[in-house]
Amino acid sequence: MNERQTNIELLKVLFSHRKQILLSSILFFVVSLAITFFIPKQYVSTAIIYPTKSNSIKDVSTNPSIGFEMQTNRLIQLLESNKMRDLIAQKFDLATYYGIDTSALGWKHSLNKQYAKDFSFTRTKYLSIEISGTMKSAALAANCVNAMVTYIDTLRKEIFLKNTVLWVNDLSQKLSGQEHKVDSLLSILFLSNDQNTPLALAENKQTFIRNRKENATILQGDAIVENVIKNNYSVRTEKLINEYYMELGILNRFQSDLIQGRNQLSQPFPKVYVFSNAEIDDAKSSPSYKINGLIGGIAGFLLSLFYVVGINKWNQLSSYLKDA
């Protein structure tokens, strides 16, 4: 039997079993619809945000441009962080939502796994971030996503200003010790009673102080230093004066840095650009009756097709073996 005859015979077999194939397809289609009815409905909520180009409110105010790829990636990392996950899980009691027993071993792993499946953070081609939540409740999905949009600014401020807080605290401690050191040197100069020894260096010091007076940039202790130069100037007091101004310079730098740090902490932290918040969408995203029904119908058709062809081949093989 050539290939053409074989194909014709196969078509005849399929045609003779057309009712069974059709009924199987319909049966699988109906079963798929029935199963779909019992599958929990899933709802999707989405928000879109853009990162700022800078973490300085002044820079963002004067140049309100959107961040680049680097800022977008950083923002995604914060959204995917354990801190964000823990905040959302605690606020909306996701352990109860997922039916997880928090007294069981490994419950945290189960929660993290479910959370990672339900929430996604995607960088779009426009360098925005799409925050998406898929849950059994449309309202819960929207609330979780919107909470992320709100919390992301809190996390950014907490993380990016953490070092500034440490810096300010360190400066505050150093400042107290430096003030004591400067005051001690100034007291020694004030109480000095060295025999006055006119030196060329004394004239230089007086010139420096005079210039500062003319420029209205008088430093703390200039009056005492000037009095020492006039009445008690010596090699020892010269060293003390040099040490005093050196330590005073360090003190002034600490004070300037501390003011800068405190100003940075007191300024409002720039918020991300929110293009769209998540809305409650009652149109379920899954399961789909059309898709599942179509998949079931096709599966029924193919299975019945393979069954009919398989039985036919088996019968041919059995007949061949009997004739042999």
Side-chain angles (χ1 to χ4, degrees), residues 192-206 225-239 241:
S192 63
N193 57 0
D194 294 29
Q195 184 176 356
N196 192 37
T197 307
L199 296 171
L201 290 175
E203 296 180 5
N204 294 336
K205 288 286 189 301
Q206 287 179 323
V225 171
E226 191 173 17
N227 182 66
V228 170
I229 292 172
K230 290 179 180 178
N231 302 308
N232 305 102
Y233 194 79
S234 66
V235 174
R236 186 183 77 88
T237 54
E238 166 67 21
K239 292 180 180 180
I241 291 170

Side-chain angles (χ1 to χ4, degrees), residues 6 8 129 184:
T6 302
I8 292 174
I129 298 173
S184 297

Side-chain angles (χ1 to χ4, degrees), residues 117-130:
K117 185 178 73 172
D118 287 350
F119 297 99
S120 62
F121 313 98
T122 308
R123 187 185 70 198
T124 70
K125 63 180 180 180
Y126 307 107
L127 295 183
S128 64
I129 298 173
E130 183 179 276

Side-chain angles (χ1 to χ4, degrees), residues 175 178 182 219-220 245-259:
L175 188 63
Q178 191 64 24
V182 169
L219 297 178
Q220 174 188 343
Y245 280 123
M246 181 186 71
E247 297 298 340
L248 181 63
I250 295 174
L251 175 63
N252 291 337
R253 187 171 69 249
F254 283 169
Q255 290 174 334
S256 176
D257 289 345
L258 186 60
I259 292 172

Side-chain angles (χ1 to χ4, degrees), residues 11 62 79 89 116 121 154 214 217 266 288:
L11 289 174
T62 56
L79 288 166
F121 313 98
T154 302
E214 293 174 357
T217 56
S266 65
S288 171

Side-chain angles (χ1 to χ4, degrees), residues 147-160:
M148 291 179 187
V149 174
T150 301
Y151 284 149
I152 190 62
D153 289 321
T154 302
L155 285 182
R156 288 171 60 238
K157 183 175 182 179
E158 179 181 324
I159 291 174
F160 290 121

